[in-house]
Amino acid sequence: MTGYYIYASINDGKPSLQVVDADSQETCLDWAGHEVSNSPDTSEISDQDLQELFRRLLLVTCRQKLKARVKQAKTRRAQH
């Protein structure tokens, strides 16, 4: 199973998240939310931004599982 480096930050009230494959150094996810609050004391991101983030995280997870299945199938074929 592949590991990931996860970089999360908030810059000027805008959250960002980057997920990088530890083996290939490929960026699997590069997401930035948009601040919707005008108050400097509270920062919020839109529901649409959150939905987009979780959709993209789900896709990263699915891609990881597919890669693992392909690798497992290749290993089985090589053994037979």
Side-chain angles (χ1 to χ4, degrees):
M1 188 171 288
T2 299
Y4 294 95
Y5 297 112
I6 298 174
Y7 304 99
S9 64
I10 297 176
N11 296 312
D12 294 325
K14 298 176 185 177
S16 65
L17 180 71
Q18 185 179 50
V19 179
V20 177
D21 184 290
D23 295 330
S24 69
Q25 300 301 308
E26 173 189 354
T27 298
C28 303
L29 175 77
D30 196 1
W31 175 87
H34 301 93
E35 184 180 15
V36 296
S37 174
N38 292 330
S39 169
D41 297 331
T42 60
S43 295
E44 294 181 13
I45 58 174
S46 71
D47 289 343
Q48 184 178 0
D49 279 347
L50 282 176
Q51 289 173 3
E52 174 69 10
L53 172 60
F54 282 97
R55 181 186 71 80
R56 292 177 64 188
L57 285 169
L58 178 63
L59 290 173
V60 169
T61 302
C62 291
R63 188 178 311 125
Q64 177 186 4
K65 289 186 181 224
L66 283 172
K67 283 182 181 180
R69 286 187 181 186
V70 167
K71 185 176 179 180
Q72 187 179 36
K74 287 180 180 178
T75 302
R76 281 189 208 152
R77 281 190 219 133
Q79 292 174 348
H80 291 103

